[in-house]
Amino acid sequence: MMCSFYRYLLKFRDGKKDDPVVRFANGVYYDHSFPKASTDYDEISRYLEMNGDYLESMSIFDEAWERFLHEV
């Protein structure tokens, strides 16, 4: 069974503060409305476009998503 993107992203929390993926993971952790069970790119992407004020750029999400696909 594939873990959710949220669960995958949590492993980057509290890493190097200059890493944009770490900042993204920390923001997602504190976002209580984030779709935590989702493994759907479109669902998460739409959510972040509307609610991801903590995300500096959607390219950071795309990078994390590619890592997710290759590692999970």
Side-chain angles (χ1 to χ4, degrees):
M1 180 178 203
M2 181 183 240
C3 76
S4 71
F5 180 70
Y6 174 80
R7 298 263 321 191
Y8 170 77
L9 200 58
L10 287 184
K11 76 180 191 174
F12 296 102
R13 279 195 65 236
D14 297 328
K16 295 181 181 179
K17 301 295 183 203
D18 60 336
D19 184 339
V21 174
V22 169
R23 290 192 299 269
F24 174 37
N26 288 335
V28 163
Y29 177 76
Y30 291 108
D31 180 354
H32 299 289
S33 297
F34 188 85
K36 292 176 176 64
S38 183
T39 58
D40 182 70
Y41 175 89
D42 291 327
E43 177 186 9
I44 297 169
S45 179
R46 280 191 307 269
Y47 177 83
L48 289 170
E49 287 173 358
M50 299 299 292
N51 303 292
D53 298 339
Y54 47 84
L55 183 59
E56 298 165 26
S57 168
M58 286 301 288
S59 64
I60 297 166
F61 165 63
D62 290 336
E63 176 187 337
W65 184 262
E66 285 301 315
R67 289 186 194 181
F68 171 65
L69 293 179
H70 291 285
E71 293 182 28
V72 176

